[in-house]
């Protein structure tokens, strides 16, 4: 049985920056408060005419170039997003067209901030069972388009980005173990509305705007710290390893208090945790792959290292994976 190994990494972030000084101008907040509570200094914001598929396409092209692979060689494209351009065609189909991956199947998945790890889990199965040999997975979101900039509890958090990875069948170790899960009973603690007319959900929003995201921050934070630690520990054990074998944790970049709270529960020192939230904020499905790209390209994750990806998101969902770089 072949292993699923990442052979190419890519990312894209928009040029526009909303720093904390800008956030101070548009909502009642300040740099000290934002930094202490979240760790965020800047977030990237898509242009008015820039959408999730545009960012996903750029990240895909970079990942393919990094893998020295032509788009025509791809068997499958999976895009993890909650902000697709259309209900249909899927974002993955738009990317397939944009990059010229004529032979690839394509579909989207919705697991919010856990989406990239969920896509990784799906790709792993396809490669290991021999169905596909070359798969492109992308996490991409334009959260700024569904953020209420009157809601200081959420608008300081979110930014836009895309991250991508190419996986190939390989005899070398790659994705060693994955664990994904969900708790739909608490799903309404983090919501982005669509076709269903839901007066109760609309009323929960600061601006009463059904097109904007809602999050019960304190409740989601409690869930996040616990589930990230549990998922990471579980997947490491499933890989037949201990935390001592792990060179680096690459978590979902939601909040530094969540990240370091979870790492403390794991028994991992802060220096073994990769953090780039200060530059980008929470970019949902793009968060983990962008952090993974930067960890690998900066040398924090080196060839042969075993690392853990772990995240949580709307649904509520979670996911963790052990990779050998």
């Amino acid at each position: 049985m072949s292993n699923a190994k990442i052979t190419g990494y890519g990312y894209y972030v928009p040029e526009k920056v909303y720093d904390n000084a800008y956030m101070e101008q548009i909502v009642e907040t300040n740099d000290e408060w934002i930094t202490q509570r979240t760790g965020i200094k800047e977030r990237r914001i898509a242009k008015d005419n820039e959408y999730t598929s545009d960012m996903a396409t750029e990240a895909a092209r970079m990942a393919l170039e990094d893998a020295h692979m032509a788009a025509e060689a791809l068997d499958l494209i999976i895009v993890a997003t909650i902000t697709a351009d259309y209900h249909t065609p899927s974002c993955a189909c738009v990317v397939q067209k944009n990059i010229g991956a004529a032979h690839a199947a394509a579909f989207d998945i919705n697991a919010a901030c856990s989406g990239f790890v969920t896509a990784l889990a799906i790709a792993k199965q396809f490669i290991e069972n021999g169905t596909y040999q070359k798969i492109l997975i992308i996490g991409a979101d334009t959260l700024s388009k569904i953020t209420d900039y009157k809601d200081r509890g959420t608008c300081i958090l979110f930014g836009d980005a895309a991250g991508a990875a190419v996986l190939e069948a390989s005899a070398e170790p790659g994705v060693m173990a994955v664990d994904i899960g969900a708790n739909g009973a608490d799903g309404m603690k983090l919501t982005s509305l669509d076709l269903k007319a839901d007066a109760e959900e609309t009323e929960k929003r600061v601006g009463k705007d059904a097109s904007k995201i809602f999050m019960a921050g304190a409740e989601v934070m409690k869930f996040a710290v616990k589930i990230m630690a549990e998922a990471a520990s579980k997947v490491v054990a499933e890989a037949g390893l201990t935390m001592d074998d792990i060179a680096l944790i690459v978590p979902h970049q939601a909040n530094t208090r969540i990240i370091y709270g979870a790492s403390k529960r794991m028994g991992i020192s802060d220096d073994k945790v990769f953090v780039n939230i200060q530059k980008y904020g929470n970019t949902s499905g793009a968060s983990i792959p962008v952090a993974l790209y930067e960890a690998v390209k900066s040398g924090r994750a080196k060839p042969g290292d075993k690392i853990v990806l772990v995240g949580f998101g709307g649904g509520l969902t979670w996911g963790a994976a052990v990779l050998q770089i």
Side-chain angles (χ1 to χ4, degrees):
M1 184 170 66
S2 295
N3 298 314
K5 188 170 185 67
I6 296 180
T7 59
Y9 304 84
Y11 88 116
Y12 174 83
V13 294
E15 293 181 3
K16 186 192 297 184
V17 175
Y18 282 1
D19 61 12
N20 288 350
Y22 176 79
M23 301 309 294
E24 290 177 358
Q25 296 175 32
I26 65 171
V27 70
E28 187 180 347
T29 192
N30 61 72
D31 173 68
E32 182 181 7
W33 189 87
I34 296 171
T35 303
Q36 289 181 351
R37 296 182 67 86
T38 72
I40 300 168
K41 286 291 190 180
E42 298 180 348
R43 52 228 36 87
R44 298 300 184 98
I45 305 297
K47 293 179 289 189
D48 290 346
N49 63 345
E50 187 174 40
Y51 295 92
T52 299
S53 68
D54 300 315
M55 299 193 305
T57 296
E58 294 306 313
R61 287 173 174 152
M62 181 182 288
L64 286 168
E65 182 178 354
D66 194 44
H68 306 290
M69 183 184 297
E72 292 87 346
L74 288 170
D75 300 311
L76 175 65
I77 300 168
I78 307 172
V79 175
T81 186
I82 60 168
T83 55
D85 306 10
Y86 314 106
H87 288 303
T88 191
S90 69
C91 189
C93 283
V94 177
V95 171
Q96 184 221 42
K97 176 197 70 173
N98 290 348
I99 65 175
H103 306 298
F107 59 83
D108 290 356
I109 60 167
N110 179 342
C113 307
S114 309
F116 184 80
V117 176
T118 304
L120 188 70
I122 296 168
K124 178 179 187 290
Q125 310 307 314
F126 275 128
I127 288 175
E128 289 183 349
N129 67 28
T131 302
Y132 295 128
Q133 301 293 307
K134 303 177 190 299
I135 300 177
L136 172 67
I137 61 173
I138 306 167
D141 274 301
T142 46
L143 291 181
S144 67
K145 296 186 186 301
I146 59 171
T147 294
D148 184 351
Y149 286 96
K150 297 177 182 177
D151 181 359
R152 69 173 184 167
T154 59
C155 71
I156 63 169
L157 300 173
F158 299 129
D160 305 329
V166 173
L167 291 99
E168 297 187 63
S170 175
E172 299 177 8
V175 184
M176 301 178 66
V178 292
D179 177 63
I180 58 174
N183 175 19
D186 287 332
M188 304 315 283
K189 292 177 180 178
L190 203 173
T191 59
S192 175
L193 308 182
D194 203 338
L195 299 178
K196 182 178 179 180
D198 192 325
E200 181 179 349
E201 278 297 308
T202 301
E203 187 63 26
K204 283 161 48 175
R205 285 150 167 77
V206 169
K208 315 303 179 190
D209 185 345
S211 69
K212 305 304 181 184
I213 199 166
F214 165 82
M215 182 171 67
E219 295 172 74
V220 171
M221 182 174 176
K222 290 177 184 177
F223 162 80
V225 171
K226 181 175 182 289
I227 203 63
M228 284 177 67
E230 290 178 356
S233 299
K234 180 181 177 182
V235 81
V236 168
E238 288 178 354
L241 305 171
T242 70
M243 283 297 180
D244 290 338
D245 299 310
I246 302 303
L248 192 69
I249 305 286
V250 181
H252 168 46
Q253 308 290 310
N255 179 309
T256 50
R257 291 189 298 164
I258 292 173
I259 291 170
Y260 292 125
S263 65
K264 184 177 180 180
R265 282 187 176 227
M266 296 176 212
I268 290 286
S269 60
D270 290 352
D271 64 337
K272 291 181 70 173
V273 181
F274 188 85
V275 177
N276 66 355
I277 190 173
Q278 69 278 6
K279 297 191 292 183
Y280 307 123
N282 180 347
T283 58
S284 188
S287 170
I288 288 176
V290 170
L292 176 61
Y293 173 90
E294 292 197 341
V296 171
K297 298 305 180 182
S298 69
R300 287 287 304 278
K302 301 176 178 64
D305 280 354
K306 297 177 179 66
I307 71 169
V308 171
L309 311 181
V310 61
F312 68 95
L316 296 173
T317 61
W318 64 88
V322 177
L323 314 178
Q324 181 165 314
I325 300 300

